[in-house]
Amino acid sequence: MFDDLKENFTHVFEDALIQEINEVGTLKEVKEGEKLIEIGEYVRSMPLLVSGAIKILREDDNGDELLLYFLERGDTCAMTLTCCLGQKKSEIRAIAELDTTLIMIPIQKMEEWTGKYKSWRNFVFQSYHERLTELLATIDSIAFLNMDERLVKYLQNKQKVTNDSVINSTHQEIAYELNTSRVVVSRLLKKLESLGKIELYRNSIKIISL
């Protein structure tokens, strides 16, 4: 775990903090599609992403989901920070987008390190800023973009996060994450295929040019 910390966080944390994280942190591996955090659960530790990607989802009263943002290597989740510090139940669902490795930090250390290490404070504040920016981008997408534009943006984000031109998602899964219907997603995907921008396969989409 120490090597993972040095590789991913040397430019972020001072050596003394990296040593403390190595002493109290727990290495955790989650497989693609595995749930890391569920809505309504208490969050007992804060994740630092070493590799892979996590998608953060919100659920409405009808059980419909909306994708809020992705977490990538070197990130943490501001929603998790808020739940940890306030000892509140999670309001988000976190699912591994790829096979992912994380270092789990006990919540009791978070407040201690905020006062002890400047680099930790900066990391926490920067994480809040980045997640807020991503949430605003999601709100803007819903408020100002048509569904076809939202779908293109969604596929572009997926390609960036997975570093792969093949998106392994069904039309129904995409519909859930965009909070729309499968019929709408299928129709728009077929339109993109007819324009030569993607190729559709069973349970996957190959991006040609978006």
Side-chain angles (χ1 to χ4, degrees):
M1 186 171 77
F2 186 71
D3 290 340
D4 290 327
L5 278 167
K6 293 288 284 184
E7 181 181 349
N8 292 282
F9 295 100
T10 294
H11 64 292
V12 180
F13 302 138
E14 54 257 71
D15 290 342
L17 177 54
I18 287 178
Q19 188 60 50
E20 277 207 57
I21 295 173
N22 187 58
E23 291 170 1
V24 303
T26 303
L27 198 66
K28 182 172 184 174
E29 295 184 349
V30 290
K31 296 293 184 184
E32 179 181 340
E34 187 176 337
K35 203 174 291 180
L36 181 67
I37 300 171
E38 181 56 285
I39 295 168
E41 292 180 349
Y42 283 102
V43 179
R44 304 299 181 188
S45 54
M46 190 197 88
L48 296 177
L49 264 72
V50 173
S51 65
I54 300 285
K55 59 185 175 185
I56 305 298
L57 303 149
R58 192 87 162 92
E59 186 179 87
D60 66 17
D61 294 337
N62 297 320
D64 295 323
E65 292 180 330
L66 177 66
L67 176 65
L68 298 181
Y69 50 79
F70 289 100
L71 300 177
E72 301 177 74
R73 190 177 78 167
D75 286 342
T76 190
C77 181
M79 303 288 279
T80 303
L81 292 170
T82 302
C83 292
C84 285
L85 292 173
Q87 296 184 349
K88 297 178 180 179
K89 292 182 179 180
S90 173
E91 296 182 353
I92 54 93
R93 177 175 294 124
I95 298 174
E97 180 69 18
L98 303 168
D99 290 348
T100 300
T101 302
L102 312 103
I103 297 172
M104 307 303 290
I105 308 297
I107 58 173
Q108 59 267 29
K109 285 292 178 181
M110 292 172 55
E111 192 167 351
E112 175 189 331
W113 290 347
T114 299
K116 189 175 180 180
Y117 295 110
K118 181 181 179 181
S119 65
W120 180 259
R121 287 197 303 275
N122 291 342
F123 177 70
V124 169
F125 293 146
Q126 183 64 26
S127 296
Y128 274 119
H129 172 72
E130 289 175 357
R131 301 296 86 79
L132 178 59
T133 300
E134 288 165 342
L135 282 173
L136 290 174
T138 299
I139 292 169
D140 286 348
S141 176
I142 295 169
F144 304 124
L145 298 182
N146 297 324
M147 184 52 69
D148 55 346
E149 295 171 313
R150 287 182 60 199
L151 178 59
V152 168
K153 190 170 184 292
Y154 169 89
L155 294 173
Q156 289 171 335
N157 286 339
K158 278 267 197 178
Q159 183 180 28
K160 174 180 174 292
V161 167
T162 61
N163 196 30
D164 194 340
S165 62
V166 176
I167 309 300
N168 293 306
S169 299
T170 66
H171 295 192
Q172 185 62 70
E173 288 168 342
I174 295 171
Y176 278 140
E177 294 184 2
L178 291 177
N179 199 15
T180 186
S181 72
R182 183 191 59 77
V183 173
V184 169
V185 168
S186 295
R187 175 172 55 80
L188 293 175
L189 287 172
K190 285 185 175 66
K191 179 182 175 183
L192 288 173
E193 186 178 40
S194 71
L195 294 172
K197 295 183 177 295
I198 62 172
E199 292 177 358
L200 297 177
Y201 299 94
R202 182 176 176 81
N203 298 335
S204 67
I205 300 159
K206 183 175 182 179
I207 295 175
I208 306 301
S209 175
L210 283 178

